[in-house]
């Protein structure tokens, strides 16, 4: 029976860290953060302009807010479908993740990717591949909160 040799690393942690830093891409935060702020702000400005327009057309504030949400979802879905939203995201990065437009993009993108597989197995099955867990969590959380609210209301 021979002694088993212990494995020893060929490089130490300090050497490994230097290699990782050398080969890792440098952060472009000074460029990406202002662009994200600009694009996210522009999306919000579009939302505010739509809200002002809908209220000036006579819609009540609650209805105008709903119409803004529908408009932003539709606009981002259309822009995703024709490939413009991806270009905006390349420029604006995280700024395109403004919740309502980013969510619409997250639903439409997988659907477009799998549309060649047909309406049922492609589009229908894959449309919620990213957004599905978010929707499921939202529904389950709202049911749980509703039950808790109902129980508290009994007392």
């Amino acid at each position: 029976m021979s002694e088993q040799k212990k494995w020893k690393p060929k490089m130490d942690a300090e050497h490994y860290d230097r290699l990782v830093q050398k080969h890792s891409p440098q952060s472009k935060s000074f460029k990406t953060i202002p662009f994200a702020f600009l694009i996210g702000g522009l999306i919000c400005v579009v939302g505010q302009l739509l809200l002002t327009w809908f209220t000036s057309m006579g819609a009540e504030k609650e209805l105008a807010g709903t119409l803004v949400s529908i408009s932003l979802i539709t606009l981002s879905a259309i822009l995703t479908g024709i490939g413009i939203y991806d270009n905006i995201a390349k420029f604006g990065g995280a700024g395109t993740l403004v919740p309502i437009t980013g969510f619409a993009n997250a639903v439409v993108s997988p659907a477009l990717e799998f549309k060649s597989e047909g309406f049922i197995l492609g589009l229908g099955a894959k449309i919620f591949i990213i957004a599905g867990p978010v929707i499921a969590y939202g529904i389950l959380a709202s049911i749980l909160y509703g039950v808790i609210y109902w129980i508290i209301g009994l007392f």
Side-chain angles (χ1 to χ4, degrees):
M1 203 177 203
S2 66
E3 269 187 49
Q4 195 175 24
K5 293 182 179 179
K6 287 190 174 185
W7 179 81
K8 292 183 180 180
K10 294 182 181 183
M11 71 174 76
D12 61 357
E14 187 178 313
H15 181 76
Y16 179 75
D17 286 341
R18 283 194 308 262
L19 280 174
V20 168
Q21 288 178 359
K22 179 182 175 184
H23 294 286
S24 295
Q26 296 298 315
S27 174
K28 299 175 186 172
S29 295
F30 290 112
K31 178 183 174 187
T32 58
I33 291 173
F35 287 151
F37 182 78
L38 177 69
I39 295 299
L42 286 174
I43 291 171
C44 293
V45 166
V46 168
Q48 185 61 50
L49 290 172
L50 286 169
L51 183 67
T52 303
W53 184 61
F54 286 131
T55 52
S56 72
M57 299 288 285
E60 294 179 14
K61 191 171 183 172
E62 187 175 329
L63 175 61
T66 303
L67 293 172
V68 168
S69 296
I70 292 169
S71 300
L72 288 174
I73 289 169
T74 303
L75 184 61
S76 63
I78 290 169
L79 291 175
T80 299
I82 59 178
I84 294 175
Y85 199 90
D86 290 338
N87 293 332
I88 295 170
K90 285 177 188 173
F91 177 76
T96 58
L97 297 177
V98 174
I100 200 160
T101 56
F103 188 75
N105 177 262
V107 171
V108 174
S109 292
L112 291 174
E113 186 176 332
F114 294 101
K115 71 180 180 183
S116 62
E117 296 177 24
F119 282 112
I120 305 296
L121 297 176
L123 188 89
K126 304 295 184 182
I127 195 165
F128 294 115
I129 199 165
I130 294 174
V134 175
I135 294 170
Y137 176 77
I139 291 170
L140 291 175
S142 64
I143 290 170
L144 178 64
Y145 297 146
V147 168
I148 291 170
Y149 185 73
W150 177 71
I151 290 172
I152 290 171
L154 291 176
F155 300 105

